[in-house]
Amino acid sequence: MLRFFGLTILILFLNQFTIFPLKSFSSFGPYTHREITFLAMEEFADSTKFEISSICAETIMQGNLQGDKLFPDKTEFHCDNSNFKGCSQNLDNIINEGKNLNGPPLLLRIGRGMHVLQDFYSHSNWAEMVAPLPILAPVEDMRNVSYIKDLQSGMYPYSHESINDQVDCFTAPESDWKLGLVGATHACMHKDGNNSIRGGTAVPGLGKTYHEFAGELAVAHTKKYLLSWYKSGHPGFLSCLVAKVGKGGCNHTIIRKMK
């Protein structure tokens, strides 16, 4: 009976991803790529006393959203298939490309790098492994590491050949979510919204779901990423900054309304 129930869940989820396009940190939210990026920009402004101008911020946002539009099946943009080394190398390549660019090409690449970082927290079991502690992952350095024990992300767009193994991922107890599971697919593991099995499950003792916890980790890492561009002194990024006035100027209001 349990396996039948699990198979039913699997079919429903597979049908969902066939009918609707894949959206990382999807519109179901509440943490979407846009919301995560906006919150990180606000925290960046609180730390530096500089806002990112609305035009630059929206260009960065578009670069982030391009990750799904332009590279839907590239595991190195979404940290799927446990391709963490490729994901980290891709992030490093994006950053190095950006160092030699200015204007929109630079800002689009900054956004693409954000997409990689944010998808890592939604698609992998890092949040499950570290909860309830808000520990950020060394995504930038994973290109130099061949293996991290039990760290895993689901398969997309391909699935494991064994239906039974896929079902086992859906029916695995929460205590096993921090372990590597054979046959784990994206549909089983992702925390893109509160509507998924893992995403909608409450983290013990935190009063928030795994989607929300992963979203908070993504916000913190995106802020760290923005601070790295700030500290690098890149003129193209610094030219986007305007002094923060009080609790925030018109730039934040404009960014909030761009949906």
Side-chain angles (χ1 to χ4, degrees):
M1 178 63 70
L2 180 62
R3 185 166 297 281
F4 175 78
F5 176 70
L7 182 58
T8 301
I9 294 175
L10 176 62
I11 292 172
L12 289 174
F13 267 76
L14 292 179
N15 284 340
Q16 173 188 349
F17 285 99
T18 300
I19 298 171
F20 300 106
L22 174 69
K23 290 186 177 180
S24 312
F25 269 120
S26 70
S27 57
F28 292 106
Y31 284 91
T32 62
H33 280 296
R34 180 174 283 278
E35 182 67 11
I36 290 167
T37 303
F38 173 78
L39 291 174
M41 287 178 175
E42 282 203 317
E43 293 188 10
F44 169 85
D46 289 340
S47 295
T48 64
K49 308 308 177 187
F50 287 104
E51 293 181 354
I52 300 173
S53 71
S54 58
I55 294 176
C56 290
E58 183 58 24
T59 306
I60 290 172
M61 291 276 196
Q62 291 305 312
N64 189 331
L65 299 177
Q66 281 181 354
D68 286 327
K69 298 295 184 182
L70 300 181
F71 315 104
D73 297 335
K74 299 287 187 181
T75 61
E76 65 270 23
F77 275 91
H78 313 288
C79 300
D80 291 322
N81 296 354
S82 297
N83 185 17
F84 303 118
K85 189 169 186 176
C87 214
S88 180
Q89 185 62 60
N90 184 36
L91 176 61
D92 189 60
N93 292 341
I94 290 170
I95 293 172
N96 286 328
E97 288 174 2
K99 290 177 180 178
N100 300 313
L101 298 171
N102 280 293
L106 164 66
L107 301 176
L108 289 171
R109 279 165 177 77
I110 290 176
R112 289 180 187 177
M114 285 181 177
H115 193 97
V116 173
L117 288 170
Q118 293 169 8
D119 269 9
F120 171 84
Y121 290 102
S122 177
H123 296 178
S124 77
N125 63 342
W126 179 268
E128 294 92 316
M129 290 172 65
V130 302
L133 301 178
I135 300 173
L136 298 185
V139 182
E140 295 88 344
D141 300 318
M142 287 182 178
R143 67 187 185 279
N144 300 318
V145 179
S146 58
Y147 174 73
I148 297 179
K149 188 177 186 306
D150 292 325
L151 183 64
Q152 179 184 35
S153 63
M155 289 176 283
Y156 182 88
Y158 308 108
S159 298
H160 194 268
E161 61 184 9
S162 170
I163 292 296
N164 288 338
D165 284 343
Q166 293 183 54
V167 170
D168 288 342
C169 178
F170 281 99
T171 59
E174 186 179 343
S175 58
D176 287 352
W177 290 359
K178 62 181 64 178
L179 306 175
L181 299 172
V182 175
T185 61
H186 175 86
C188 170
M189 290 191 63
H190 82 87
K191 296 171 289 294
D192 292 343
N194 276 330
N195 63 317
S196 72
I197 291 178
R198 290 202 183 191
T201 299
V203 181
L206 275 190
K208 63 189 68 171
T209 66
Y210 278 102
H211 163 71
E212 292 158 359
F213 180 59
E216 291 177 357
L217 291 175
V219 170
H221 208 141
T222 303
K223 173 194 172 184
K224 176 184 174 183
Y225 174 69
L226 285 171
L227 285 172
S228 71
W229 281 102
Y230 175 71
K231 293 173 182 178
S232 75
H234 192 295
F237 181 76
L238 296 182
S239 68
C240 284
L241 304 183
V242 295
K244 180 183 177 184
V245 180
K247 293 185 178 180
C250 63
N251 286 283
H252 278 191
T253 301
I254 294 172
I255 296 167
R256 255 299 189 211
K257 292 182 177 179
M258 289 183 176
K259 298 233 177 167

PDB file of all heavy atoms in Angstrom, residues 5-22:
ATOM      1  N   PHE A   5       0.946   4.166  -2.842  1.00  0.00           N
ATOM      2  CA  PHE A   5       0.749   5.579  -2.530  1.00  0.00           C
ATOM      3  C   PHE A   5       1.917   6.414  -3.049  1.00  0.00           C
ATOM      4  O   PHE A   5       1.739   7.470  -3.639  1.00  0.00           O
ATOM      5  CB  PHE A   5       0.611   5.756  -1.018  1.00  0.00           C
ATOM      6  CG  PHE A   5       0.496   7.189  -0.580  1.00  0.00           C
ATOM      7  CD1 PHE A   5      -0.640   7.937  -0.843  1.00  0.00           C
ATOM      8  CD2 PHE A   5       1.545   7.792   0.102  1.00  0.00           C
ATOM      9  CE1 PHE A   5      -0.734   9.257  -0.441  1.00  0.00           C
ATOM     10  CE2 PHE A   5       1.460   9.111   0.501  1.00  0.00           C
ATOM     11  CZ  PHE A   5       0.310   9.840   0.234  1.00  0.00           C
ATOM     12  N   GLY A   6       3.136   5.890  -2.854  1.00  0.00           N
ATOM     13  CA  GLY A   6       4.317   6.606  -3.324  1.00  0.00           C
ATOM     14  C   GLY A   6       4.338   6.727  -4.832  1.00  0.00           C
ATOM     15  O   GLY A   6       4.712   7.765  -5.381  1.00  0.00           O
ATOM     16  N   LEU A   7       3.940   5.658  -5.522  1.00  0.00           N
ATOM     17  CA  LEU A   7       3.909   5.687  -6.977  1.00  0.00           C
ATOM     18  C   LEU A   7       2.886   6.705  -7.477  1.00  0.00           C
ATOM     19  O   LEU A   7       3.116   7.410  -8.454  1.00  0.00           O
ATOM     20  CB  LEU A   7       3.570   4.299  -7.524  1.00  0.00           C
ATOM     21  CG  LEU A   7       3.552   4.139  -9.055  1.00  0.00           C
ATOM     22  CD1 LEU A   7       4.903   4.524  -9.643  1.00  0.00           C
ATOM     23  CD2 LEU A   7       3.195   2.710  -9.445  1.00  0.00           C
ATOM     24  N   THR A   8       1.757   6.809  -6.776  1.00  0.00           N
ATOM     25  CA  THR A   8       0.740   7.796  -7.152  1.00  0.00           C
ATOM     26  C   THR A   8       1.292   9.205  -7.025  1.00  0.00           C
ATOM     27  O   THR A   8       1.102  10.058  -7.901  1.00  0.00           O
ATOM     28  CB  THR A   8      -0.503   7.643  -6.255  1.00  0.00           C
ATOM     29  OG1 THR A   8      -1.017   6.328  -6.386  1.00  0.00           O
ATOM     30  CG2 THR A   8      -1.586   8.660  -6.641  1.00  0.00           C
ATOM     31  N   ILE A   9       1.998   9.468  -5.929  1.00  0.00           N
ATOM     32  CA  ILE A   9       2.624  10.780  -5.725  1.00  0.00           C
ATOM     33  C   ILE A   9       3.619  11.060  -6.839  1.00  0.00           C
ATOM     34  O   ILE A   9       3.674  12.158  -7.403  1.00  0.00           O
ATOM     35  CB  ILE A   9       3.341  10.832  -4.354  1.00  0.00           C
ATOM     36  CG1 ILE A   9       2.311  10.739  -3.227  1.00  0.00           C
ATOM     37  CG2 ILE A   9       4.159  12.105  -4.227  1.00  0.00           C
ATOM     38  CD1 ILE A   9       2.929  10.661  -1.846  1.00  0.00           C
ATOM     39  N   LEU A  10       4.436  10.053  -7.171  1.00  0.00           N
ATOM     40  CA  LEU A  10       5.450  10.213  -8.213  1.00  0.00           C
ATOM     41  C   LEU A  10       4.810  10.596  -9.536  1.00  0.00           C
ATOM     42  O   LEU A  10       5.258  11.518 -10.219  1.00  0.00           O
ATOM     43  CB  LEU A  10       6.244   8.914  -8.359  1.00  0.00           C
ATOM     44  CG  LEU A  10       7.294   8.891  -9.494  1.00  0.00           C
ATOM     45  CD1 LEU A  10       8.355   9.944  -9.238  1.00  0.00           C
ATOM     46  CD2 LEU A  10       7.927   7.516  -9.584  1.00  0.00           C
ATOM     47  N   ILE A  11       3.749   9.900  -9.917  1.00  0.00           N
ATOM     48  CA  ILE A  11       3.082  10.174 -11.189  1.00  0.00           C
ATOM     49  C   ILE A  11       2.525  11.588 -11.211  1.00  0.00           C
ATOM     50  O   ILE A  11       2.655  12.315 -12.204  1.00  0.00           O
ATOM     51  CB  ILE A  11       1.959   9.146 -11.435  1.00  0.00           C
ATOM     52  CG1 ILE A  11       2.571   7.761 -11.688  1.00  0.00           C
ATOM     53  CG2 ILE A  11       1.087   9.558 -12.621  1.00  0.00           C
ATOM     54  CD1 ILE A  11       1.552   6.646 -11.753  1.00  0.00           C
ATOM     55  N   LEU A  12       1.915  12.004 -10.088  1.00  0.00           N
ATOM     56  CA  LEU A  12       1.371  13.354 -10.016  1.00  0.00           C
ATOM     57  C   LEU A  12       2.455  14.406 -10.179  1.00  0.00           C
ATOM     58  O   LEU A  12       2.282  15.396 -10.877  1.00  0.00           O
ATOM     59  CB  LEU A  12       0.643  13.554  -8.671  1.00  0.00           C
ATOM     60  CG  LEU A  12      -0.682  12.814  -8.508  1.00  0.00           C
ATOM     61  CD1 LEU A  12      -1.203  12.980  -7.082  1.00  0.00           C
ATOM     62  CD2 LEU A  12      -1.709  13.331  -9.511  1.00  0.00           C
ATOM     63  N   PHE A  13       3.607  14.174  -9.552  1.00  0.00           N
ATOM     64  CA  PHE A  13       4.694  15.140  -9.653  1.00  0.00           C
ATOM     65  C   PHE A  13       5.301  15.147 -11.045  1.00  0.00           C
ATOM     66  O   PHE A  13       5.614  16.208 -11.587  1.00  0.00           O
ATOM     67  CB  PHE A  13       5.769  14.850  -8.593  1.00  0.00           C
ATOM     68  CG  PHE A  13       5.558  15.632  -7.330  1.00  0.00           C
ATOM     69  CD1 PHE A  13       4.563  15.256  -6.430  1.00  0.00           C
ATOM     70  CD2 PHE A  13       6.321  16.748  -7.066  1.00  0.00           C
ATOM     71  CE1 PHE A  13       4.354  15.986  -5.265  1.00  0.00           C
ATOM     72  CE2 PHE A  13       6.111  17.477  -5.903  1.00  0.00           C
ATOM     73  CZ  PHE A  13       5.126  17.092  -5.000  1.00  0.00           C
ATOM     74  N   LEU A  14       5.469  13.991 -11.637  1.00  0.00           N
ATOM     75  CA  LEU A  14       6.022  13.941 -12.980  1.00  0.00           C
ATOM     76  C   LEU A  14       5.082  14.612 -13.967  1.00  0.00           C
ATOM     77  O   LEU A  14       5.512  15.314 -14.884  1.00  0.00           O
ATOM     78  CB  LEU A  14       6.299  12.492 -13.393  1.00  0.00           C
ATOM     79  CG  LEU A  14       7.431  11.794 -12.634  1.00  0.00           C
ATOM     80  CD1 LEU A  14       7.572  10.355 -13.130  1.00  0.00           C
ATOM     81  CD2 LEU A  14       8.748  12.539 -12.793  1.00  0.00           C
ATOM     82  N   ASN A  15       3.780  14.421 -13.787  1.00  0.00           N
ATOM     83  CA  ASN A  15       2.812  15.093 -14.646  1.00  0.00           C
ATOM     84  C   ASN A  15       2.868  16.598 -14.462  1.00  0.00           C
ATOM     85  O   ASN A  15       2.741  17.364 -15.409  1.00  0.00           O
ATOM     86  CB  ASN A  15       1.394  14.587 -14.344  1.00  0.00           C
ATOM     87  CG  ASN A  15       1.137  13.214 -14.924  1.00  0.00           C
ATOM     88  OD1 ASN A  15       1.833  12.792 -15.838  1.00  0.00           O
ATOM     89  ND2 ASN A  15       0.147  12.501 -14.389  1.00  0.00           N
ATOM     90  N   GLN A  16       3.073  17.037 -13.215  1.00  0.00           N
ATOM     91  CA  GLN A  16       3.171  18.461 -12.955  1.00  0.00           C
ATOM     92  C   GLN A  16       4.310  19.080 -13.742  1.00  0.00           C
ATOM     93  O   GLN A  16       4.173  20.137 -14.340  1.00  0.00           O
ATOM     94  CB  GLN A  16       3.400  18.704 -11.457  1.00  0.00           C
ATOM     95  CG  GLN A  16       3.673  20.166 -11.110  1.00  0.00           C
ATOM     96  CD  GLN A  16       4.076  20.329  -9.657  1.00  0.00           C
ATOM     97  OE1 GLN A  16       3.959  19.413  -8.857  1.00  0.00           O
ATOM     98  NE2 GLN A  16       4.545  21.507  -9.322  1.00  0.00           N
ATOM     99  N   PHE A  17       5.447  18.399 -13.787  1.00  0.00           N
ATOM    100  CA  PHE A  17       6.600  18.981 -14.455  1.00  0.00           C
ATOM    101  C   PHE A  17       6.535  18.776 -15.962  1.00  0.00           C
ATOM    102  O   PHE A  17       7.314  19.360 -16.697  1.00  0.00           O
ATOM    103  CB  PHE A  17       7.901  18.394 -13.883  1.00  0.00           C
ATOM    104  CG  PHE A  17       8.214  18.955 -12.535  1.00  0.00           C
ATOM    105  CD1 PHE A  17       7.901  18.247 -11.385  1.00  0.00           C
ATOM    106  CD2 PHE A  17       8.766  20.206 -12.401  1.00  0.00           C
ATOM    107  CE1 PHE A  17       8.154  18.782 -10.140  1.00  0.00           C
ATOM    108  CE2 PHE A  17       9.033  20.750 -11.152  1.00  0.00           C
ATOM    109  CZ  PHE A  17       8.725  20.032 -10.024  1.00  0.00           C
ATOM    110  N   THR A  18       5.637  17.937 -16.434  1.00  0.00           N
ATOM    111  CA  THR A  18       5.430  17.797 -17.870  1.00  0.00           C
ATOM    112  C   THR A  18       4.510  18.895 -18.379  1.00  0.00           C
ATOM    113  O   THR A  18       4.735  19.484 -19.434  1.00  0.00           O
ATOM    114  CB  THR A  18       4.796  16.422 -18.186  1.00  0.00           C
ATOM    115  OG1 THR A  18       5.678  15.408 -17.734  1.00  0.00           O
ATOM    116  CG2 THR A  18       4.583  16.266 -19.678  1.00  0.00           C
ATOM    117  N   ILE A  19       3.471  19.205 -17.589  1.00  0.00           N
ATOM    118  CA  ILE A  19       2.491  20.192 -18.004  1.00  0.00           C
ATOM    119  C   ILE A  19       3.028  21.603 -17.838  1.00  0.00           C
ATOM    120  O   ILE A  19       2.851  22.464 -18.692  1.00  0.00           O
ATOM    121  CB  ILE A  19       1.196  20.024 -17.173  1.00  0.00           C
ATOM    122  CG1 ILE A  19       0.595  18.640 -17.434  1.00  0.00           C
ATOM    123  CG2 ILE A  19       0.182  21.105 -17.513  1.00  0.00           C
ATOM    124  CD1 ILE A  19      -0.559  18.300 -16.508  1.00  0.00           C
ATOM    125  N   PHE A  20       3.715  21.869 -16.717  1.00  0.00           N
ATOM    126  CA  PHE A  20       4.195  23.206 -16.431  1.00  0.00           C
ATOM    127  C   PHE A  20       5.712  23.253 -16.586  1.00  0.00           C
ATOM    128  O   PHE A  20       6.409  22.323 -16.211  1.00  0.00           O
ATOM    129  CB  PHE A  20       3.825  23.614 -15.003  1.00  0.00           C
ATOM    130  CG  PHE A  20       2.343  23.621 -14.763  1.00  0.00           C
ATOM    131  CD1 PHE A  20       1.749  22.614 -14.017  1.00  0.00           C
ATOM    132  CD2 PHE A  20       1.551  24.617 -15.302  1.00  0.00           C
ATOM    133  CE1 PHE A  20       0.378  22.621 -13.793  1.00  0.00           C
ATOM    134  CE2 PHE A  20       0.181  24.632 -15.077  1.00  0.00           C
ATOM    135  CZ  PHE A  20      -0.406  23.623 -14.326  1.00  0.00           C
ATOM    136  N   PRO A  21       6.261  24.368 -17.102  1.00  0.00           N
ATOM    137  CA  PRO A  21       7.702  24.480 -17.254  1.00  0.00           C
ATOM    138  C   PRO A  21       8.396  24.536 -15.907  1.00  0.00           C
ATOM    139  O   PRO A  21       7.828  25.026 -14.927  1.00  0.00           O
ATOM    140  CB  PRO A  21       7.872  25.800 -18.018  1.00  0.00           C
ATOM    141  CG  PRO A  21       6.642  26.584 -17.672  1.00  0.00           C
ATOM    142  CD  PRO A  21       5.551  25.565 -17.548  1.00  0.00           C
ATOM    143  N   LEU A  22       9.623  24.047 -15.865  1.00  0.00           N
ATOM    144  CA  LEU A  22      10.413  24.067 -14.641  1.00  0.00           C
ATOM    145  C   LEU A  22      10.734  25.502 -14.260  1.00  0.00           C
ATOM    146  O   LEU A  22      11.179  26.284 -15.079  1.00  0.00           O
ATOM    147  CB  LEU A  22      11.716  23.288 -14.856  1.00  0.00           C
ATOM    148  CG  LEU A  22      12.717  23.351 -13.704  1.00  0.00           C
ATOM    149  CD1 LEU A  22      12.173  22.579 -12.509  1.00  0.00           C
ATOM    150  CD2 LEU A  22      14.054  22.799 -14.140  1.00  0.00           C
TER     151      LEU A  22
END
